[in-house]
């Protein structure tokens, strides 16, 4: 586990934690590792909740399927990021979403109850962990609000541009890489992939953007033309 301490130090749950404390904390929180092959489920809708996951390797895609089987991508979890915390803190019994490994992944599971309950050893880090967890949940809520902003746009073109302009602002550059492939981006924005591809083609032809795969570059006049 020590080889992952550098990754865990970037995890919001472990903010302010020094390496000397990491091993003790993981033991107290009942941490366990699990390897997930590419394409396999990390968990499925209906599985028991009550855990917090931390991505150590690979990438995890969290999705929601509606009654008719239409899939929406909620988020993609990269190494050092957490997932499942909102449902665990809410006290739901089963997971309302599913998650799959986009590539071979390694996940660290933490027991949420052990995190929120002061143990018999009265570990000094418990208060810090609770504060970190609260902040992480708040940040996820902000991210969800941003996604709602993208999806509330009227047209597919407006959804695409709202997302790309936000990515450019967030990454501080007109040239950036997004954390989605084309299908995942369509699912994330709640649009048909064919319609999205057609709109991206029109934007390229109009000279508003350049792109290849997950790489994009917005022209200086992109926002004006949009």
């Amino acid at each position: 586990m020590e080889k992952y301490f550098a990754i865990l130090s970037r995890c919001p749950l472990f903010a302010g934690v020094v390496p000397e404390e990491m091993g003790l904390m993981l033991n107290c929180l009942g941490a366990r590792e699990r390897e997930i092959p590419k394409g396999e489920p990390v968990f499925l809708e209906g599985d028991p909740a009550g855990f917090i996951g931390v991505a150590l390797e690979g990438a995890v895609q969290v999705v929601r399927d509606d009654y008719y089987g239409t899939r929406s991508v909620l988020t993609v979890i990269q190494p050092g990021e957490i997932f499942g915390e909102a449902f665990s803190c809410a006290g739901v019994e089963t997971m309302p979403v599913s998650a799959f490994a986009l590539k071979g992944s390694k996940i660290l599971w933490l027991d949420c109850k052990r995190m929120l309950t002061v143990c018999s050893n009265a570990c000094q880090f418990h208060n810090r962990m609770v504060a970190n967890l609260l902040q992480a949940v708040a940040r996820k809520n902000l991210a969800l609000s941003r996604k709602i902003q993208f999806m509330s746009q009227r047209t597919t073109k407006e959804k695409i541009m709202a997302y790309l302009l936000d990515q450019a602002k967030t990454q501080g550059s007109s040239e950036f890489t997004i954390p989605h492939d084309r299908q995942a981006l369509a699912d994330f924005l709640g649009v048909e992939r064919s319609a999205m591809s057609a709109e991206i083609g029109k934007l390229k032809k109009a000279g508003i953007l350049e792109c290849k795969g997950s790489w994009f570059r917005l022209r200086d006049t992109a926002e004006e033309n949009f």
Side-chain angles (χ1 to χ4, degrees):
M1 178 57 70
E2 290 186 9
K3 67 178 182 178
Y4 295 114
F5 282 5
I7 293 175
L8 290 175
S9 66
R10 303 198 306 267
C11 176
L13 279 180
F14 296 93
V17 177
V18 297
E20 292 74 18
E21 294 179 308
M22 199 74 74
L24 177 63
M25 294 177 69
L26 294 176
N27 181 64
C28 185
L29 297 174
R32 54 190 177 88
E33 295 179 49
R34 181 183 171 198
E35 292 190 18
I36 312 292
K38 179 181 178 180
E40 292 297 309
V42 178
F43 59 81
L44 295 172
E45 181 179 352
D47 284 352
F51 61 84
I52 295 175
V54 182
L56 300 176
E57 295 180 7
V60 174
Q61 186 180 72
V62 181
V63 303
R64 184 192 298 275
D65 296 325
D66 67 15
Y67 178 80
Y68 296 102
T70 302
R71 175 161 293 179
S72 298
V73 176
L74 301 181
T75 187
V76 175
I77 307 298
Q78 303 292 346
E81 298 180 342
I82 64 175
F83 57 96
E85 74 283 359
F87 307 117
S88 298
C89 292
V92 300
E93 294 184 0
T94 60
M95 299 299 293
V97 298
S98 301
F100 297 88
L102 290 178
K103 58 182 85 171
S105 302
K106 182 167 288 188
I107 307 300
L108 180 69
W109 296 119
L110 304 174
D111 188 324
C112 186
K113 288 184 178 179
R114 295 181 70 167
M115 183 179 299
L116 298 176
T117 304
V118 178
C119 65
S120 57
N121 296 325
C123 300
Q124 297 180 358
F125 57 75
H126 261 103
N127 287 338
R128 185 188 310 144
M129 292 289 287
V130 171
N132 288 345
L133 179 59
L134 178 61
Q135 187 176 66
V137 171
R139 287 177 176 172
K140 287 287 183 72
N141 284 337
L142 290 175
L144 179 58
S145 296
R146 289 168 64 193
K147 179 178 180 179
I148 292 173
Q149 178 185 354
F150 306 144
M151 296 185 67
S152 66
Q153 301 297 316
R154 293 176 300 172
T155 66
T156 298
K157 175 185 176 181
E158 290 173 343
K159 291 178 181 180
I160 295 169
M161 287 303 300
Y163 175 76
L164 294 178
L165 288 169
D166 181 78
Q167 285 291 306
K169 182 178 180 180
T170 299
Q171 299 188 37
S173 173
S174 61
E175 183 176 338
F176 51 87
T177 300
I178 65 173
H180 304 291
D181 60 23
R182 291 301 172 84
Q183 184 60 59
L185 178 59
D187 292 339
F188 180 78
L189 295 176
V191 299
E192 292 291 334
R193 177 174 177 174
S194 58
M196 183 189 73
S197 296
E199 290 297 336
I200 290 177
K202 292 177 183 177
L203 292 168
K204 290 174 63 178
K205 187 175 182 179
I208 295 175
L209 61 80
E210 299 176 54
C211 64
K212 183 177 181 180
S214 297
W215 173 84
F216 287 82
R217 182 167 70 183
L218 296 176
R219 297 292 181 85
D220 293 339
T221 58
E223 190 166 6
E224 296 176 7
N225 291 334
F226 174 62

